[in-house]
Structures are given as structure tokens and as C-alpha cells.
Amino acid sequence: MGHYYPPDNLEEMEEEIDPSIRTCTYQFHTVSTQIIMYILQLGYALPISILYLFVILKILKAHKTEHMFSDAFFKIYVLDGVVSLIVVVLDYGLTRPLIYVNPLCRVFWTWFPQPTYILTPYLASFNYFQFAKIFSISLLSANRFTCVAYPIWHKIFWKKHTNHVIIVSMICPVFFTWHLAISPTRFDPYVGEGILGYVKVVPFVRTTFFKLIVSLTAFLFILLTNIKTYRLTKKFKNKLKTLERSLTLSTVVISAVFVVYIIIQAILLIFSTSFLIENLAFGSTLKKIEFCCNDFYLMSSPIVLLIMNKRLRSSVFRVSPEAPQNSENTRVSSRVGDTVKIVVKSPSAKTLTMW
């Protein structure tokens, strides 16, 4: 049928894996500690994701009513945010539970002992949105670079072509993941941790090769544009609007996180698949480091943006006051015997009785 290729490793697995390794029984961990690890990760991922969603919804709601959110940057930011949240949901929904929740490994090993197309939509979608994330964060960097380097052309181009650029950035990942959509997905346990891979149907196509090329290209582009953008921002800091400057610096920080993530990915590629299988404890540690970097890469954006942009922070968390029922305070008094009744009509229209 073909060879099995884990989607995150570059080297082919030509040798048969030791049957003692392909098991759902832990050698270096316990079930409870692994589940606790997953709960801890979920403990920070859930609130940050909710904050991320809140920021996205606020931007979408204010897009037509507040001038600040009409900028092309926020369209791209919403795109990047939606893609990031989808990756987080897919990751925490199945990929990590298969690694950390041992009973799930046993269930999948029972249900899917052979390659199947049932899991193909998940694997194809997960990889598609991982590629889409690379394109969306590259768009953010490009938008901020043109803002400071070519301000006049920037306004004309992004006002006219933002939607076109977004559509292209969402189509491009298809060219790097189409083969996963036609390949059966295979589930394999490695000493208690479940991993999804695929059976190669198209001989000349490699997912890891595509990821390496796209990630390296994005890495160089973002690194160079970030350096140039930062220098120009410092040079023209007195000429840039406060909002533009804070958005630009926020994007530089967010993109720098991506650069660090790619460096970690490159370090992982140094070690061959066979080496990682032979040294499972070391490989497992590297995978957890990758998870932490991946989380920071996916979920740091709203925190960085809100910290560095006071105007955005106040706009996002602003509570609209209740509209007054009557703009004028009306004071009416009447005296009946020894009782004085004063009616005060104010924003809350309260009635006060005094004796």
C-alpha cells in the first residue's frame, strides 16, 4: 500500500518499527500525569482563546461604526485570528488528546488498526489551516511594512486589493495539502502516545517538504520585513500616528514569535525519525517544547496587541453607558400637609419622597 509518513517529520521510515514501541502502554509516564499535563495546557489555552474570540468579535462589530477598525490591518488580523483559533480547536480537540489522554489512544487503536479515510478530513483540515496561518501572519507583516515604507501606495493598494489578497492567501494552502485529502490516514501508537499520519498515495509529494519550503520562505520574508519595519518605525516615530506605530510594533512582536517557532521546528528536523523513535523520552520532551512554542505562536497575538495599544484596549473593553431617558433634570415638588414629595427626573428617573 505504501509507506507511512508522519506529517511533521522529513525522513522516510523505511525500517519496520519495533512492535514493543507500537503500543498504548506508557514506558516513561503515567496515565494520570499525562492527563494533568493536558488539563494544564487546556487551562491556559481556553481563557486565551476566549479573549481572542472576544477581540475578533469586537473588531467585526465595530468595523463599520468606528473608523479605527476600518483599516485593512484589522481585516487581516481577523483572518489570522480565525485561522489561529481553528488550529487551536483542532489541536486541542484531537491531536493532543491522542497524545495525553491514554484511554483515547486505546480506543483509536481498536477502531482504526488499518489506514482509513474516516480520519482524512481531520488531518487534511489541520494541515491546511497550519499552512493558512503561515500565509496570514505573512500578510500582517507585509501590511505593516508597506505602511511605514510606502505610506501613499499602502493606502491605495490595501484599500483596493485587501479582499483579493485574503482570497489568494486562503487558496494557496490547497496546493500544499491536496494530496492529504486523497490519502488514507493512519493511526499509530508510540509507547502510549497516539499519532496521526498518512499513507503516501502520490510518490513525489511530501507534506514536510512543503512545510519546510513555505516556512523557510515566510521566515526569511518576515525576518527581513520586520527588521526594515522596526528601523523605519524608529526613524519616523514622530511622523507616524500613535495607532499606526503601536499596530506596527505589535505586528513586529507577533511575527518575531513566528520566527522563534520556525527556529524550533528547524531544530526538530535535525533529528531523524528513526533517532526520535529510538530515543522516545528525548523525542517526547522535544514534542512538548514544540507544543509550548506552538501555543505561544498561535495565541500570543491578542495579548500583545492589547498590551501595546492603549486606544484599542480602551475600545475593546469599553462599556457603553446607558442612554439617558431625559437629558434635562426636572425637579417637581408638591406639598401636601407635612409631606413634601420631590420627583427628580434624571438618567435613572428616580422618585424620592421626603417628610
Side-chain angles (χ1 to χ4, degrees), residues 62-109:
H63 179 66
K64 294 183 178 181
T65 58
E66 296 185 38
H67 178 71
M68 177 178 68
F69 293 113
S70 63
D71 191 89
F73 170 85
F74 287 104
K75 273 191 176 182
I76 303 171
Y77 182 84
V78 167
L79 168 71
D80 182 68
V82 171
V83 169
S84 297
L85 287 179
I86 291 174
V87 175
V88 170
V89 170
L90 291 174
D91 188 8
Y92 279 85
L94 186 58
T95 298
R96 296 202 195 192
L98 287 176
I99 292 175
Y100 290 105
V101 184
N102 188 255
L104 197 59
C105 174
R106 299 180 184 279
V107 170
F108 270 65
W109 188 224

Side-chain angles (χ1 to χ4, degrees), residues 324 326-332 343-350:
N326 194 338
S327 58
E328 297 180 359
N329 289 342
T330 304
R331 186 184 183 104
V332 180
V343 178
V344 181
K345 291 184 179 180
S346 62
S348 56
K350 294 180 180 178

Side-chain angles (χ1 to χ4, degrees), residues 262-307:
I262 293 301
I263 292 173
I264 297 296
Q265 289 288 308
I267 293 173
L268 285 170
L269 289 175
I270 294 174
F271 302 99
S272 66
T273 302
S274 57
F275 175 82
L276 293 176
I277 290 176
E278 292 172 1
N279 300 270
L280 287 172
F282 177 72
S284 179
T285 302
L286 280 182
K287 197 66 179 176
K288 288 176 175 60
I289 294 174
E290 181 194 11
F291 278 156
C292 292
C293 293
N294 183 65
D295 288 342
F296 193 56
Y297 156 58
L298 289 171
M299 294 183 281
S300 61
S301 177
I303 298 174
V304 172
L305 198 64
L306 291 173
I307 289 175

Side-chain angles (χ1 to χ4, degrees), residues 55-56 58-60 62-63 66-82 140 143-144 154 158 162 166 243-244 246-248 250-251 305-306 309 311-313 315-316:
V55 172
I56 291 172
K58 171 61 181 178
I59 293 173
L60 290 174
H63 179 66
E66 296 185 38
H67 178 71
M68 177 178 68
F69 293 113
S70 63
D71 191 89
F73 170 85
F74 287 104
K75 273 191 176 182
I76 303 171
Y77 182 84
V78 167
L79 168 71
D80 182 68
V82 171
L140 281 176
N143 177 271
R144 291 297 90 193
H154 165 85
W158 290 102
T162 300
I166 288 176
L243 176 63
E244 293 288 359
S246 61
L247 290 179
T248 300
S250 299
T251 305
L305 198 64
L306 291 173
N309 194 308
R311 183 178 171 187
L312 178 65
R313 186 168 62 250
S315 178
V316 168

Side-chain angles (χ1 to χ4, degrees), residues 331-344 350-355:
R331 186 184 183 104
V332 180
S333 63
S334 62
R335 185 181 183 103
V336 181
D338 295 330
T339 302
V340 178
K341 185 176 182 180
I342 302 175
V343 178
V344 181
K350 294 180 180 178
T351 300
L352 178 63
T353 303
M354 298 179 63
W355 285 270

Side-chain angles (χ1 to χ4, degrees), residues 32-181:
S32 58
T33 55
Q34 287 294 85
I35 292 178
I36 291 173
M37 284 288 293
Y38 175 69
I39 293 174
L40 289 175
Q41 293 177 42
L42 193 63
Y44 66 75
L46 187 59
I48 294 177
S49 297
I50 293 173
L51 172 64
Y52 210 160
L53 182 61
F54 175 75
V55 172
I56 291 172
L57 293 177
K58 171 61 181 178
I59 293 173
L60 290 174
K61 183 179 179 180
H63 179 66
K64 294 183 178 181
T65 58
E66 296 185 38
H67 178 71
M68 177 178 68
F69 293 113
S70 63
D71 191 89
F73 170 85
F74 287 104
K75 273 191 176 182
I76 303 171
Y77 182 84
V78 167
L79 168 71
D80 182 68
V82 171
V83 169
S84 297
L85 287 179
I86 291 174
V87 175
V88 170
V89 170
L90 291 174
D91 188 8
Y92 279 85
L94 186 58
T95 298
R96 296 202 195 192
L98 287 176
I99 292 175
Y100 290 105
V101 184
N102 188 255
L104 197 59
C105 174
R106 299 180 184 279
V107 170
F108 270 65
W109 188 224
T110 302
W111 286 356
F112 308 112
Q114 299 297 325
T116 175
Y117 280 99
I118 296 176
L119 298 173
T120 295
Y122 171 83
L123 189 65
S125 299
F126 190 39
N127 280 268
Y128 168 84
F129 285 107
Q130 284 181 323
F131 276 103
K133 172 64 180 177
I134 297 174
F135 282 98
S136 64
I137 199 170
S138 299
L139 279 185
L140 281 176
S141 293
N143 177 271
R144 291 297 90 193
F145 172 70
T146 57
C147 176
V148 295
Y150 311 101
I152 298 177
W153 179 84
H154 165 85
K155 291 183 178 180
I156 297 172
F157 175 84
W158 290 102
K159 185 177 181 180
K160 186 177 180 180
H161 297 293
T162 300
N163 291 337
H164 300 148
V165 171
I166 288 176
I167 291 171
V168 170
S169 69
M170 291 296 97
I171 292 176
C172 284
V174 175
F175 296 106
F176 305 105
T177 55
W178 61 269
H179 60 289
L180 293 176

